[in-house]
Amino acid sequence: LHPNSQLGIFSKDTIAVFGNMVNEGNILSVSGSVVNFYGLRWRNSSSAVIRDESNDGYSSSGGLFRFLQTTPALYQYISGGFSAATGAGPSFPNISVENSPGIFLDDLSDLKIVNTLDLKTGYLFLNGWNLVIGHHTPGDIRNYSSRNFIITGSSFGGGFLYRSNISSDGNTIVFPVGTSPSSYTPVAAE
């Protein structure tokens, strides 16, 4: 998607992207819409926008971006374009990981998911970068298990999972992480 270009994906719309995606424009992802991504690399520029239908772009449930791979043993890569240090850049409303080997965060890019990360099949490798879940709330991470979780890496400064706006309201916030596929060590906070 070129700079200054706009793409609207409306309720009950399902689109498929079979090649690599470069988003330098503006995507409106309305609640109930689905983007099935079959390519190997999705790259958002730092000036790209992905928003939901609310006035501020972050207050509705927004659409679902499903990362799927039909070829066994092929990883997918996301360059989210977000910066956890500055809190600026594009964010996805919802992502579903449906790729058995998993997804890697690409170099020089953090990833932000406003509402839900669904770990249906496969790992999400932070690869030294950061993942931010939530915006007005801590967001939701679903379907995590010892075979589907977030891999931070074992090196110093490996990668971090941040949950936004955690409050003391008694809700349990889970951090389904591990340093490698064989070291699932989740943490929960109330």
Side-chain angles (χ1 to χ4, degrees):
L1 196 61
H2 295 289
N4 303 319
S5 297
Q6 296 185 17
L7 171 64
I9 309 160
F10 298 99
S11 181
K12 299 182 183 175
D13 283 353
T14 298
I15 66 169
V17 178
F18 292 97
N20 294 338
M21 174 69 166
V22 176
N23 175 23
E24 296 177 334
N26 186 335
I27 297 175
L28 170 64
S29 175
V30 173
S31 301
S33 67
V34 177
V35 174
N36 291 322
F37 181 69
Y38 296 97
L40 295 179
R41 293 187 183 274
W42 180 295
R43 185 178 70 80
N44 291 325
S45 73
S46 60
S47 61
V49 175
I50 301 175
R51 59 187 177 84
D52 65 34
E53 66 272 23
S54 66
N55 287 335
D56 68 358
Y58 304 103
S59 296
S60 188
S61 57
L64 175 64
F65 290 77
R66 294 173 66 210
F67 283 76
L68 307 150
Q69 191 48 249
T70 56
T71 305
L74 282 180
Y75 292 98
Q76 290 176 300
Y77 296 83
I78 300 175
S79 179
F82 186 77
S83 169
T86 64
S91 56
F92 289 89
N94 306 285
I95 286 182
S96 181
V97 177
E98 300 180 38
N99 177 353
S100 61
I103 298 173
F104 276 87
L105 294 190
D106 226 341
D107 282 342
L108 304 174
S109 180
D110 299 328
L111 174 65
K112 180 176 179 181
I113 302 169
V114 173
N115 297 308
T116 302
L117 169 62
D118 193 348
L119 296 164
K120 285 192 174 180
T121 308
Y123 303 104
L124 180 56
F125 295 87
L126 298 186
N127 196 27
W129 303 101
N130 301 300
L131 172 62
V132 178
I133 304 285
H135 190 76
H136 298 301
T137 69
D140 189 17
I141 302 175
R142 298 180 182 161
N143 293 314
Y144 50 85
S145 71
S146 60
R147 290 188 303 242
N148 305 316
F149 61 93
I150 298 162
I151 297 180
T152 59
S154 59
S155 63
F156 178 75
F160 296 97
L161 168 60
Y162 296 96
R163 304 291 300 266
S164 299
N165 291 313
I166 295 176
S167 66
S168 59
D169 59 7
N171 290 331
T172 301
I173 306 299
V174 177
F175 293 76
V177 297
T179 56
S180 71
S182 62
S183 68
Y184 180 52
T185 51
V187 175
E190 284 193 16

